[in-house]
Amino acid sequence: MSSLLSVSGVDVHVEGDGAETILMVHGWPDTYRLWDATVEALKGRYRCIRFTLPGFDPRSDGRKHTLDELIAF
C-alpha cells in the first residue's frame, strides 16, 4: 500500500502494509527522500510514514519556521 496525505500543507508519504508503524523524520538539511532505501527494505513488514519538515522542501516558500511551529506540526 502506498498513499499520499496532506497535513497542514505538507505531503505525508505512507508506504507498506505492516501492523506496526515507523515514523521517519529527516535531519538538517535533508528531505523525506533520505529514507528511500530504508522504506524499500522495511515496507514489506512495516507501515512507513515520512515527510519533509516545513521549510525544508525546495518547493517551499523558504520561510523559516520556529521550533514551536515545527513541534506543533
mmCIF file of all heavy atoms in Angstrom, residues 19-44:
data_model
loop_
_atom_site.group_PDB
_atom_site.id
_atom_site.type_symbol
_atom_site.label_atom_id
_atom_site.label_comp_id
_atom_site.label_asym_id
_atom_site.label_seq_id
_atom_site.Cartn_x
_atom_site.Cartn_y
_atom_site.Cartn_z
ATOM 1 N N ALA A 19 1.608 -4.203 10.439
ATOM 2 C CA ALA A 19 0.760 -3.844 11.577
ATOM 3 C C ALA A 19 1.414 -2.768 12.443
ATOM 4 O O ALA A 19 0.726 -2.020 13.127
ATOM 5 C CB ALA A 19 0.471 -5.086 12.418
ATOM 6 N N GLU A 20 2.730 -2.700 12.409
ATOM 7 C CA GLU A 20 3.448 -1.692 13.185
ATOM 8 C C GLU A 20 3.870 -0.551 12.264
ATOM 9 O O GLU A 20 4.109 -0.746 11.079
ATOM 10 C CB GLU A 20 4.680 -2.296 13.839
ATOM 11 C CG GLU A 20 4.330 -3.354 14.880
ATOM 12 C CD GLU A 20 5.581 -3.887 15.535
ATOM 13 O OE1 GLU A 20 6.069 -3.198 16.448
ATOM 14 O OE2 GLU A 20 6.047 -4.952 15.127
ATOM 15 N N THR A 21 3.976 0.653 12.849
ATOM 16 C CA THR A 21 4.292 1.849 12.080
ATOM 17 C C THR A 21 5.633 2.420 12.514
ATOM 18 O O THR A 21 5.942 2.467 13.707
ATOM 19 C CB THR A 21 3.197 2.919 12.284
ATOM 20 O OG1 THR A 21 1.964 2.381 11.835
ATOM 21 C CG2 THR A 21 3.514 4.199 11.537
ATOM 22 N N ILE A 22 6.402 2.855 11.521
ATOM 23 C CA ILE A 22 7.656 3.561 11.779
ATOM 24 C C ILE A 22 7.498 4.973 11.226
ATOM 25 O O ILE A 22 7.172 5.151 10.048
ATOM 26 C CB ILE A 22 8.844 2.867 11.097
ATOM 27 C CG1 ILE A 22 9.011 1.448 11.634
ATOM 28 C CG2 ILE A 22 10.120 3.681 11.293
ATOM 29 C CD1 ILE A 22 10.067 0.646 10.900
ATOM 30 N N LEU A 23 7.722 5.970 12.058
ATOM 31 C CA LEU A 23 7.686 7.373 11.645
ATOM 32 C C LEU A 23 9.120 7.809 11.396
ATOM 33 O O LEU A 23 9.964 7.750 12.294
ATOM 34 C CB LEU A 23 7.043 8.251 12.716
ATOM 35 C CG LEU A 23 7.020 9.745 12.438
ATOM 36 C CD1 LEU A 23 6.191 10.051 11.193
ATOM 37 C CD2 LEU A 23 6.478 10.490 13.637
ATOM 38 N N MET A 24 9.397 8.240 10.182
ATOM 39 C CA MET A 24 10.752 8.602 9.781
ATOM 40 C C MET A 24 10.848 10.114 9.627
ATOM 41 O O MET A 24 10.166 10.706 8.793
ATOM 42 C CB MET A 24 11.096 7.910 8.468
ATOM 43 C CG MET A 24 11.011 6.416 8.565
ATOM 44 S SD MET A 24 11.121 5.642 6.952
ATOM 45 C CE MET A 24 11.363 3.946 7.438
ATOM 46 N N VAL A 25 11.716 10.732 10.422
ATOM 47 C CA VAL A 25 11.896 12.182 10.389
ATOM 48 C C VAL A 25 13.348 12.459 9.994
ATOM 49 O O VAL A 25 14.269 11.961 10.643
ATOM 50 C CB VAL A 25 11.588 12.819 11.759
ATOM 51 C CG1 VAL A 25 11.752 14.327 11.701
ATOM 52 C CG2 VAL A 25 10.184 12.443 12.223
ATOM 53 N N HIS A 26 13.546 13.228 8.937
ATOM 54 C CA HIS A 26 14.891 13.534 8.455
ATOM 55 C C HIS A 26 15.567 14.558 9.344
ATOM 56 O O HIS A 26 14.946 15.224 10.162
ATOM 57 C CB HIS A 26 14.820 14.052 7.009
ATOM 58 C CG HIS A 26 14.105 15.359 6.886
ATOM 59 N ND1 HIS A 26 14.723 16.566 7.113
ATOM 60 C CD2 HIS A 26 12.819 15.650 6.593
ATOM 61 C CE1 HIS A 26 13.849 17.543 6.954
ATOM 62 N NE2 HIS A 26 12.675 17.008 6.630
ATOM 63 N N GLY A 27 16.870 14.690 9.161
ATOM 64 C CA GLY A 27 17.645 15.714 9.856
ATOM 65 C C GLY A 27 17.854 16.923 8.964
ATOM 66 O O GLY A 27 17.243 17.058 7.916
ATOM 67 N N TRP A 28 18.759 17.792 9.378
ATOM 68 C CA TRP A 28 19.037 19.006 8.633
ATOM 69 C C TRP A 28 20.162 18.729 7.664
ATOM 70 O O TRP A 28 21.152 18.108 8.062
ATOM 71 C CB TRP A 28 19.428 20.112 9.607
ATOM 72 C CG TRP A 28 19.639 21.414 8.953
ATOM 73 C CD1 TRP A 28 18.696 22.343 8.655
ATOM 74 C CD2 TRP A 28 20.874 21.949 8.490
ATOM 75 N NE1 TRP A 28 19.261 23.425 8.042
ATOM 76 C CE2 TRP A 28 20.609 23.201 7.929
ATOM 77 C CE3 TRP A 28 22.175 21.494 8.478
ATOM 78 C CZ2 TRP A 28 21.596 23.995 7.382
ATOM 79 C CZ3 TRP A 28 23.157 22.275 7.930
ATOM 80 C CH2 TRP A 28 22.860 23.520 7.392
ATOM 81 N N PRO A 29 20.156 19.111 6.446
ATOM 82 C CA PRO A 29 19.131 19.821 5.693
ATOM 83 C C PRO A 29 18.411 18.895 4.710
ATOM 84 O O PRO A 29 18.190 19.261 3.562
ATOM 85 C CB PRO A 29 19.939 20.876 4.944
ATOM 86 C CG PRO A 29 21.206 20.128 4.560
ATOM 87 C CD PRO A 29 21.444 19.173 5.721
ATOM 88 N N ASP A 30 18.075 17.704 5.088
ATOM 89 C CA ASP A 30 17.523 16.701 4.179
ATOM 90 C C ASP A 30 16.034 16.867 3.924
ATOM 91 O O ASP A 30 15.410 17.817 4.382
ATOM 92 C CB ASP A 30 17.790 15.299 4.738
ATOM 93 C CG ASP A 30 19.259 14.948 4.719
ATOM 94 O OD1 ASP A 30 19.865 15.062 3.642
ATOM 95 O OD2 ASP A 30 19.796 14.568 5.772
ATOM 96 N N THR A 31 15.481 15.895 3.194
ATOM 97 C CA THR A 31 14.043 15.806 2.916
ATOM 98 C C THR A 31 13.604 14.369 3.177
ATOM 99 O O THR A 31 14.427 13.515 3.555
ATOM 100 C CB THR A 31 13.720 16.160 1.445
ATOM 101 O OG1 THR A 31 14.252 15.123 0.599
ATOM 102 C CG2 THR A 31 14.283 17.521 1.054
ATOM 103 N N TYR A 32 12.357 14.072 2.925
ATOM 104 C CA TYR A 32 11.837 12.727 3.128
ATOM 105 C C TYR A 32 12.573 11.690 2.270
ATOM 106 O O TYR A 32 12.590 10.503 2.596
ATOM 107 C CB TYR A 32 10.327 12.680 2.848
ATOM 108 C CG TYR A 32 9.975 12.594 1.374
ATOM 109 C CD1 TYR A 32 9.665 11.370 0.801
ATOM 110 C CD2 TYR A 32 9.960 13.724 0.566
ATOM 111 C CE1 TYR A 32 9.358 11.278 -0.557
ATOM 112 C CE2 TYR A 32 9.652 13.647 -0.777
ATOM 113 C CZ TYR A 32 9.345 12.415 -1.331
ATOM 114 O OH TYR A 32 9.038 12.326 -2.660
ATOM 115 N N ARG A 33 13.220 12.123 1.183
ATOM 116 C CA ARG A 33 13.910 11.213 0.269
ATOM 117 C C ARG A 33 15.096 10.516 0.944
ATOM 118 O O ARG A 33 15.562 9.490 0.468
ATOM 119 C CB ARG A 33 14.389 11.954 -0.980
ATOM 120 C CG ARG A 33 13.307 12.660 -1.791
ATOM 121 C CD ARG A 33 12.135 11.761 -2.159
ATOM 122 N NE ARG A 33 12.500 10.580 -2.887
ATOM 123 C CZ ARG A 33 12.241 10.342 -4.156
ATOM 124 N NH1 ARG A 33 11.607 11.238 -4.868
ATOM 125 N NH2 ARG A 33 12.601 9.218 -4.712
ATOM 126 N N LEU A 34 15.572 11.055 2.048
ATOM 127 C CA LEU A 34 16.653 10.421 2.804
ATOM 128 C C LEU A 34 16.317 8.970 3.117
ATOM 129 O O LEU A 34 17.185 8.112 3.185
ATOM 130 C CB LEU A 34 16.895 11.207 4.102
ATOM 131 C CG LEU A 34 17.842 10.577 5.118
ATOM 132 C CD1 LEU A 34 19.278 10.668 4.605
ATOM 133 C CD2 LEU A 34 17.714 11.280 6.452
ATOM 134 N N TRP A 35 15.034 8.684 3.300
ATOM 135 C CA TRP A 35 14.571 7.369 3.746
ATOM 136 C C TRP A 35 14.196 6.416 2.611
ATOM 137 O O TRP A 35 13.694 5.323 2.877
ATOM 138 C CB TRP A 35 13.380 7.549 4.680
ATOM 139 C CG TRP A 35 13.701 8.362 5.884
ATOM 140 C CD1 TRP A 35 13.289 9.628 6.166
ATOM 141 C CD2 TRP A 35 14.521 7.968 6.978
ATOM 142 N NE1 TRP A 35 13.808 10.046 7.360
ATOM 143 C CE2 TRP A 35 14.565 9.038 7.886
ATOM 144 C CE3 TRP A 35 15.235 6.806 7.282
ATOM 145 C CZ2 TRP A 35 15.284 8.985 9.075
ATOM 146 C CZ3 TRP A 35 15.950 6.751 8.467
ATOM 147 C CH2 TRP A 35 15.970 7.834 9.345
ATOM 148 N N ASP A 36 14.421 6.761 1.346
ATOM 149 C CA ASP A 36 14.004 5.913 0.225
ATOM 150 C C ASP A 36 14.454 4.456 0.374
ATOM 151 O O ASP A 36 13.649 3.529 0.283
ATOM 152 C CB ASP A 36 14.522 6.463 -1.105
ATOM 153 C CG ASP A 36 13.767 7.682 -1.591
ATOM 154 O OD1 ASP A 36 12.730 8.049 -0.991
ATOM 155 O OD2 ASP A 36 14.228 8.286 -2.583
ATOM 156 N N ALA A 37 15.737 4.225 0.571
ATOM 157 C CA ALA A 37 16.262 2.855 0.657
ATOM 158 C C ALA A 37 15.729 2.137 1.890
ATOM 159 O O ALA A 37 15.428 0.938 1.844
ATOM 160 C CB ALA A 37 17.785 2.871 0.663
ATOM 161 N N THR A 38 15.597 2.848 2.988
ATOM 162 C CA THR A 38 15.087 2.245 4.212
ATOM 163 C C THR A 38 13.638 1.804 4.040
ATOM 164 O O THR A 38 13.257 0.707 4.457
ATOM 165 C CB THR A 38 15.208 3.237 5.390
ATOM 166 O OG1 THR A 38 16.568 3.677 5.484
ATOM 167 C CG2 THR A 38 14.782 2.601 6.693
ATOM 168 N N VAL A 39 12.829 2.642 3.410
ATOM 169 C CA VAL A 39 11.430 2.286 3.145
ATOM 170 C C VAL A 39 11.364 1.046 2.267
ATOM 171 O O VAL A 39 10.589 0.125 2.540
ATOM 172 C CB VAL A 39 10.663 3.467 2.514
ATOM 173 C CG1 VAL A 39 9.306 3.017 1.991
ATOM 174 C CG2 VAL A 39 10.493 4.587 3.528
ATOM 175 N N GLU A 40 12.173 0.996 1.230
ATOM 176 C CA GLU A 40 12.180 -0.176 0.346
ATOM 177 C C GLU A 40 12.481 -1.451 1.133
ATOM 178 O O GLU A 40 11.885 -2.497 0.893
ATOM 179 C CB GLU A 40 13.187 -0.007 -0.791
ATOM 180 C CG GLU A 40 12.702 0.879 -1.894
ATOM 181 C CD GLU A 40 11.393 0.401 -2.522
ATOM 182 O OE1 GLU A 40 11.275 -0.792 -2.855
ATOM 183 O OE2 GLU A 40 10.480 1.229 -2.659
ATOM 184 N N ALA A 41 13.403 -1.359 2.076
ATOM 185 C CA ALA A 41 13.794 -2.532 2.861
ATOM 186 C C ALA A 41 12.743 -2.927 3.898
ATOM 187 O O ALA A 41 12.619 -4.109 4.232
ATOM 188 C CB ALA A 41 15.124 -2.262 3.560
ATOM 189 N N LEU A 42 11.963 -1.971 4.393
ATOM 190 C CA LEU A 42 11.060 -2.246 5.516
ATOM 191 C C LEU A 42 9.572 -2.309 5.174
ATOM 192 O O LEU A 42 8.782 -2.823 5.965
ATOM 193 C CB LEU A 42 11.256 -1.188 6.607
ATOM 194 C CG LEU A 42 12.641 -1.138 7.246
ATOM 195 C CD1 LEU A 42 12.702 0.004 8.246
ATOM 196 C CD2 LEU A 42 12.983 -2.461 7.907
ATOM 197 N N LYS A 43 9.167 -1.794 4.019
ATOM 198 C CA LYS A 43 7.735 -1.658 3.755
ATOM 199 C C LYS A 43 7.001 -2.991 3.637
ATOM 200 O O LYS A 43 5.778 -3.009 3.722
ATOM 201 C CB LYS A 43 7.482 -0.787 2.530
ATOM 202 C CG LYS A 43 7.880 -1.392 1.207
ATOM 203 C CD LYS A 43 7.590 -0.403 0.088
ATOM 204 C CE LYS A 43 7.944 -0.988 -1.265
ATOM 205 N NZ LYS A 43 7.663 -0.021 -2.324
ATOM 206 N N GLY A 44 7.690 -4.080 3.487
ATOM 207 C CA GLY A 44 7.043 -5.393 3.481
ATOM 208 C C GLY A 44 6.617 -5.844 4.863
ATOM 209 O O GLY A 44 5.725 -6.686 5.004
#
